[in-house]
Amino acid sequence: MTETRIEIVVTGGNAEATIDQLASQLQDSEAVVSGADTAAQPAELIASSISASAALPQNINAWFAQIAVSEGYQPLATLAICAVIFAIAYLLERVIARLLSGSVSEPVTTLQKLGNATRWGGARGLSLLAFYGMSLVGIHVVFDASTEAFELAAVALSSLMLPRAWLLVLEVLTGSQDPHRRANSLSDLEASHVMRSALCLVVFFAATAFARDFVLGVVDAGDSGALFAVATRALDAMATGFFFFSVRKPVGGLIVNALSCDTGNPKLFVRLLSRFWPALYIFLFLLQIIAEARGYLSGTLGEDASALKRSFAVFVLTPFIVASLGIWRDDLMSRTDWDRRGRVAGVFSLLEGTVTVGAAIFILYAWNIDPFATDLEGAKRILPGLVSAAIVTVIGVSAWRMISGFFDKGTVGGADDEANVPDGEGGVGGSRLETVLPILRTALAVLIGTVTVLLALSSLGVQIAPLLAGAGILGLAVGFGAQKIVEDIISGVLYLIEDAFRKGEYIETNEGQGVVDAIMLRSIRLRHHLGAVYTVPFSSIGTVQNHSRDWVTVKLSFEVAPTQDLEKVRKLVKKVGAQLMQDPELEGQFLAPLKSQGAVAMVGSNYKIGVKFTSKPGEQFLIRRKALNAIQKAFSENNVQIAAPRVIVDTGGEAAAAAAKTVIDRAAPA
């Protein structure tokens, strides 16, 4: 499409009328007609509007007199007739809404609340359209379309429809009348407060819009009504500021819940956004009001005002759409198996990014900027690159979230990072997948981030070939200068390939022992059972003694007097082992039951009895406590005495006693 600019210079007393005629004749084409005074300074426009506004009361009185003479009734009668038409249409709207509204089920999930809100909003939207259609038909039946009364009735209908449509959208979003339709974190009191504030705002907007459209559209006041239109939009700006200030806390809470994982301690950016978000919207609305005011004063509402209006609408709606997608995503994630959570996260990340980038593209088109054009000049030349970079970033983030979901699946339910390992013995460890995935996750995060950044820079026109070459040379230099680090990394990879240890297992190395708390790029962190933390480079680990792999055999021993029946002792231990196997608390923990090994040694004149069992790693401590308690109880009930340690002193006869007495006497003080 080519753009041709034709400048028409009109002079004389009828210049303004001639320009208006040209504009009306070319309104169906793509031509833009502007007056010669549109370049006037704001001070000049305001001064001329003030002088022209003195004729506004006279123009309104003249219009009232004209309609009373030409059409035979007063405008107030027209509005009264419109009120009757609107009341009848509203009654029919309520009937249709009741017929369309189904029963609202009590929701269990957030998605069900969204479904209830969507069904309710759809039914109310159709009934509102029915109200508009019936009101329009009534106006056409009662009034002649060529009369001023019909134009007044049409303005009244449009001034009534817009606030009602906004109220419907806000009620769908807040669910103030029914918490079963509220898919957000607003309380009943907060939702009612937001809705009451919105009702006051839209009623005020409806009144100012009717007054403005009446003066400019029906009365056709021209320059005399420009200052009045500016004043009404200034009042709208003040009312909007009060509204945003009134609902800042409830909406700020929604921002925190939507953007922060820890709502009790949100990040600084989230806190600032939740506190100062009204300033952004008030600033955008003021820009729109200023552009419209200049258009009213100059007599032509330019493209800037229209672009700002569309941009403001996009800025308002986009966060709600993204937040709704986030609510839907969280609800699906809570009810989806781990196998599919990564896909859900990736798809919704792609949708959220698409909405955000699409909103930005829409705003650019609203300002008549084609972000995909190749012949842009000046600062606009970077727009295609910015859009491409944004698309690449969205794809990269979506891919990472999808892969991250797979890693979350692999690491969920892993070993406790603060495993308690009594007596320095090994506890149960995680799977091999849980051990390897964190390292793969870090490596893939670096890879995806690097590729995304490079592609985004390439989209912006940056030559990435020198960057790649420089990175290769830098990597080679780092490789020669940091041989110890390279050795640590390679050693760690080999340990992981050989599956020498896993996260959560208790191991002993040359440099320390403890539970494997974390596996990093070049080192391993061990948490000792007494609390100390060892950070051991992989190249210094050496031989690994793993206390938590596959199974654990625990051996116990005690002594009995030679007068005890060893066979009776064996049977009692076997009976205790059978009882422990039936203990529901120990179900599935034994790999081999508790059994007696008989007399394994002589300690003085006592027999040393050996007892052992085999269990899963980490479960031996509870079994050992229960086994000792059960053995002690069984021996006590069956009169089996565990031998106490004895110390025998050989005096060596009377001579030794006399010598000892002599030594004691010499050591005694005089």
Side-chain angles (χ1 to χ4, degrees):
M1 181 183 70
T2 59
E3 178 180 356
T4 304
R5 181 177 181 87
I6 303 176
E7 295 185 2
I8 303 176
V9 180
V10 182
T11 59
N14 297 324
E16 182 177 354
T18 305
I19 291 176
D20 292 338
Q21 292 175 1
L22 289 172
S24 62
Q25 294 174 4
L26 296 175
Q27 61 182 355
D28 295 331
S29 66
E30 298 181 357
V32 178
V33 180
S34 60
D37 59 342
T38 57
Q41 296 297 322
E44 298 176 1
L45 295 176
I46 294 175
S48 61
S49 298
I50 292 176
S51 61
S53 62
L56 179 60
Q58 181 180 356
N59 293 336
I60 295 176
N61 291 332
W63 181 85
F64 272 91
Q66 176 187 355
I67 190 174
V69 173
S70 61
E71 300 182 13
Y73 51 84
Q74 296 293 331
L76 294 179
T78 301
L79 295 178
I81 296 173
C82 290
V84 174
I85 295 174
F86 296 158
I88 296 173
Y90 180 74
L91 293 177
L92 294 176
E93 174 193 351
R94 298 299 299 172
V95 173
I96 295 174
R98 185 175 295 274
L99 293 175
L100 293 177
S101 299
S103 59
V104 178
S105 59
E106 184 173 353
V108 178
T109 63
T110 305
L111 186 59
Q112 291 175 339
K113 291 183 179 181
L114 284 174
N116 290 338
T118 302
R119 287 190 295 271
W120 184 89
R124 288 298 190 274
L126 291 176
S127 60
L128 184 60
L129 289 177
F131 167 83
Y132 177 75
M134 289 181 289
S135 299
L136 193 60
V137 170
I139 291 173
H140 275 280
V141 170
V142 175
F143 303 105
D144 187 356
S146 61
T147 62
E148 297 285 343
F150 176 85
E151 189 174 356
L152 179 61
V155 169
L157 179 59
S158 63
S159 300
L160 182 63
M161 280 298 299
L162 184 60
R164 293 199 64 196
W166 273 109
L167 285 177
L168 176 61
V169 172
L170 289 174
E171 176 58 31
V172 171
L173 293 175
T174 60
S176 63
Q177 299 177 2
D178 187 359
H180 294 167
R181 294 187 280 102
R182 190 182 309 140
N184 53 57
S185 59
L186 290 176
S187 64
D188 293 342
L189 186 61
E190 290 175 335
S192 299
H193 172 71
V194 171
M195 205 60 201
R196 286 195 303 269
S197 302
L199 178 61
C200 295
L201 179 67
V202 297
V203 169
F204 185 82
F205 270 23
T208 57
F210 176 77
R212 186 169 53 254
D213 292 342
F214 173 75
V215 170
L216 297 181
V218 180
V219 177
D220 194 14
D223 291 341
S224 62
L227 194 61
F228 176 80
V230 172
T232 58
R233 292 306 280 163
L235 293 175
D236 289 345
M238 295 175 60
T240 303
F242 281 121
F243 169 74
F244 286 138
F245 183 80
S246 175
V247 302
R248 68 190 187 284
K249 290 184 178 180
V251 177
L254 292 178
I255 293 174
V256 172
N257 290 329
L259 300 181
S260 179
C261 297
D262 184 7
T263 56
N265 186 25
K267 296 181 179 179
L268 178 61
F269 169 75
V270 178
R271 291 201 305 270
L272 293 177
L273 184 62
S274 65
R275 182 174 300 180
F276 299 107
W277 69 267
L280 173 62
Y281 285 101
I282 291 174
F283 173 73
L284 294 174
F285 192 73
L286 285 177
L287 289 180
Q288 176 186 337
I289 296 299
I290 292 172
E292 291 183 10
R294 183 176 178 84
Y296 288 131
L297 295 176
S298 63
T300 56
L301 278 176
E303 295 182 357
D304 290 351
S306 177
L308 282 168
K309 184 178 294 185
R310 291 195 292 267
S311 301
F312 182 76
V314 171
F315 273 112
V316 171
L317 293 177
T318 300
F320 283 104
I321 296 175
V322 174
S324 299
L325 289 174
I327 293 172
W328 190 7
R329 178 200 62 219
D330 294 340
D331 183 75
L332 286 179
M333 293 280 282
S334 65
R335 297 183 294 108
T336 303
D337 296 335
W338 282 101
D339 294 337
R340 295 184 295 175
R341 287 193 177 186
R343 283 177 285 177
V344 172
V347 169
F348 275 90
S349 176
L350 186 62
L351 289 176
E352 293 169 4
T354 301
V355 170
T356 304
V357 175
I361 294 175
F362 178 86
I363 292 174
L364 290 176
Y365 275 112
W367 289 89
N368 292 326
I369 299 174
D370 184 1
F372 301 103
T374 58
D375 56 348
L376 297 176
E377 299 179 353
K380 297 180 181 179
R381 290 181 298 177
I382 67 172
L383 289 177
L386 287 176
V387 173
S388 300
I391 294 174
V392 169
T393 303
V394 168
I395 295 175
V397 172
S398 302
W400 166 242
R401 288 189 178 178
M402 187 175 297
I403 296 174
S404 179
F406 170 76
F407 288 134
D408 291 339
K409 173 208 168 188
T411 56
V412 69
D416 188 0
D417 289 341
E418 298 179 357
N420 182 19
V421 187
D423 302 329
E425 299 182 49
V428 63
S431 66
R432 189 174 186 182
L433 187 64
E434 294 168 2
T435 302
V436 175
L437 280 185
I439 299 176
L440 290 178
R441 179 175 185 159
T442 303
L444 285 177
V446 173
L447 177 62
I448 293 176
T450 303
V451 172
T452 301
V453 170
L454 290 177
L455 291 178
L457 291 176
S458 178
S459 301
L460 293 173
V462 178
Q463 296 295 327
I464 63 174
L467 295 178
L468 294 175
I473 296 174
L474 180 63
L476 187 61
V478 170
F480 280 111
Q483 297 183 24
K484 181 62 176 177
I485 296 177
V486 174
E487 181 183 358
D488 290 334
I489 295 174
I490 294 177
S491 299
V493 171
L494 294 177
Y495 275 118
L496 293 178
I497 291 176
E498 295 171 357
D499 195 21
F501 46 78
R502 300 174 185 174
K503 187 176 181 181
E505 292 183 334
Y506 193 95
I507 65 173
E508 291 186 34
T509 69
N510 294 343
E511 301 295 331
Q513 63 181 12
V515 175
V516 179
D517 187 62
I519 299 176
M520 294 163 286
L521 185 62
R522 59 172 295 271
S523 63
I524 183 174
R525 187 167 65 230
L526 304 178
R527 169 76 66 173
H528 194 267
H529 59 279
L530 297 180
V533 175
Y534 297 91
T535 300
V536 184
F538 285 121
S539 60
S540 303
I541 288 179
T543 303
V544 175
Q545 184 178 356
N546 196 325
H547 292 263
S548 304
R549 185 60 57 87
D550 301 331
W551 50 268
V552 175
T553 296
V554 178
K555 293 184 177 182
L556 308 173
S557 63
F558 52 88
E559 299 176 15
V560 297
T563 58
Q564 298 294 329
D565 186 353
L566 297 183
E567 182 62 19
K568 181 180 180 180
V569 172
R570 186 189 66 80
K571 290 181 178 180
L572 288 176
V573 172
K574 182 178 180 181
K575 183 179 179 181
V576 169
Q579 292 174 352
L580 293 177
M581 292 292 291
Q582 301 300 322
D583 190 338
E585 191 175 355
L586 303 179
E587 182 179 359
Q589 305 304 329
F590 279 103
L591 298 180
L594 179 73
K595 58 184 178 180
S596 173
Q597 295 179 288
V600 295
M602 291 289 295
V603 180
S605 59
N606 296 329
Y607 291 107
K608 183 178 181 180
I609 306 299
V611 177
K612 70 174 183 178
F613 65 87
T614 303
S615 70
K616 295 180 179 179
E619 307 298 336
Q620 68 269 30
F621 314 115
L622 176 62
I623 297 176
R624 182 174 61 188
R625 289 195 298 270
K626 283 182 169 289
L628 292 175
N629 291 336
I631 290 174
Q632 189 273 339
K633 182 179 179 181
F635 283 6
S636 177
E637 291 175 351
N638 292 273
N639 297 320
V640 175
Q641 297 295 325
I642 297 178
R646 295 188 301 167
V647 178
I648 301 175
V649 179
D650 188 358
T651 62
E654 295 181 359
K661 184 177 183 304
T662 302
V663 172
I664 293 173
D665 292 340
R666 289 178 179 178

